[in-house]
């Protein structure tokens, strides 16, 4: 995910149609994006949805930081070689392509979603990209590879200058909706704490 100068954003002609190529270019110009997230999981057998929220960071070169704050603290770091998860201060759980290839594949895919990485998306999904008008867009992904096609019926993304929402429709009929807000493009480099997290986990 990556950036336009602000003046370009403000004065870009809204009437022009958005294409997937333009979206990928837009995201690749955003080296670091930070945002607040709210996640709602609707599970068939549960009377109430499960809700969580927190902060996320996607950095083009380093990877993804996902910091859930409620209903309990959970920190996730994902880069090209591993996924590290820490729940409620417990010892880190490290997932790699070697010890859990399916989980790693799915989590690795998250980076492709956030960055609109067309090459990776086309390898795994049938793509339906639509210009929604006024600079907005939608992207429907239907899995064509295993195990994704066994898990998800579809993955729907929507946004404008940024990725604003993801909906995961799984084969069990459950839904996971993730909404992003308060997008921030600065600072454009990692803080010392963020850099440390990528380096040590």
């Amino acid at each position: 995910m990556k950036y336009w100068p602000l003046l370009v954003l403000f004065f870009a002609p809204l009437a022009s149609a958005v294409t997937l190529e333009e979206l990928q270019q837009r995201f690749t110009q955003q080296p670091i994006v930070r945002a607040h997230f709210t996640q709602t999981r609707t599970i068939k057998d549960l009377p109430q949805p499960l809700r969580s929220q927190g902060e996320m960071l996607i950095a083009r070169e380093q990877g993804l930081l996902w910091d859930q704050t409620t209903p309990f603290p959970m920190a996730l770091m994902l880069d090209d070689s591993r996924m590290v998860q820490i729940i409620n201060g417990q010892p880190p759980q490290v997932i790699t392509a070697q010890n859990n290839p399916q989980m790693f594949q799915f989590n690795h895919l998250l980076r492709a979603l956030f960055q609109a990485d067309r090459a990776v998306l086309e390898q795994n999904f049938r793509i339906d990209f639509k210009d929604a008008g006024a600079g907005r867009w939608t992207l429907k992904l239907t899995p064509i590879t295993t195990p994704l096609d066994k898990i998800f019926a579809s993955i729907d993304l929507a946004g404008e200058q940024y990725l604003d929402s993801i909906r995961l429709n799984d084969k069990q009929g459950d839904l996971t909706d993730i909404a992003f807000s308060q997008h921030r493009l600065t600072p454009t480099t990692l803080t010392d704490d963020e850099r440390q997290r990528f380096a040590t986990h």
Side-chain angles (χ1 to χ4, degrees):
M1 306 185 38
K2 300 110 196 195
Y3 310 65
W4 295 107
L6 287 178
L7 288 179
V8 176
L9 291 183
F10 287 132
F11 294 107
L14 294 178
S16 62
V18 180
T19 66
L20 183 55
E21 290 79 8
E22 290 170 345
L23 179 64
Q24 183 173 7
Q25 182 181 17
R26 182 183 303 171
F27 283 3
T28 57
Q29 292 173 343
Q30 300 171 356
I32 297 177
V33 177
R34 299 168 180 85
H36 180 78
F37 72 84
T38 301
Q39 179 173 288
T40 304
R41 295 192 63 198
T42 305
I43 300 174
K44 287 189 304 181
D45 296 332
L46 294 182
Q48 298 293 330
L50 303 175
R51 292 185 172 86
S52 60
Q53 61 179 318
E55 300 293 321
M56 78 94 183
L57 174 150
I58 180 77
R60 182 178 61 221
E61 302 298 333
Q62 290 81 14
L64 173 71
L65 296 178
W66 188 268
D67 292 323
Q68 175 180 300
T69 54
T70 60
F72 57 85
M74 188 273 288
L76 177 72
M77 188 286 296
L78 174 68
D79 64 15
D80 286 333
S81 62
R82 68 214 189 285
M83 182 186 82
V84 181
Q85 181 174 272
I86 302 173
I87 299 175
N88 260 337
Q90 298 297 312
Q93 297 175 296
V94 181
I95 294 172
T96 66
Q98 288 71 40
N99 65 25
N100 193 330
Q102 290 190 3
M103 177 65 74
F104 184 80
Q105 180 186 3
F106 169 66
N107 285 283
H108 192 64
L109 186 66
L110 285 176
R111 287 184 69 184
L113 295 178
F114 280 113
Q115 297 176 335
D117 188 329
R118 182 168 186 164
V120 175
L121 296 180
E122 287 182 338
Q123 290 172 6
N124 293 281
F125 300 97
R126 186 171 67 251
I127 295 176
D128 181 14
F129 182 87
K130 292 182 178 177
D131 176 6
R136 298 196 62 80
W137 50 268
T138 62
L139 179 59
K140 186 179 187 68
L141 304 173
T142 304
I144 58 174
T145 58
T146 300
L148 294 173
D149 62 346
K150 308 301 183 187
I151 302 172
F152 298 108
S154 66
I155 300 176
D156 299 304
L157 294 83
E160 189 175 352
Q161 299 300 335
Y162 310 102
L163 175 62
D164 292 335
S165 66
I166 300 175
R167 166 170 280 196
L168 306 173
N169 306 277
D170 75 23
K171 287 292 187 75
Q172 306 300 317
D174 302 331
L175 294 175
T176 300
D177 288 296
I178 309 172
F180 301 99
S181 61
Q182 304 170 37
H183 298 84
R184 305 177 300 281
L185 300 182
T186 56
T188 57
T189 58
L190 296 175
T191 66
D192 289 342
D193 178 65
E194 292 162 351
R195 191 177 299 108
Q196 182 75 5
R197 290 182 59 187
F198 280 115
T200 58
H201 287 321

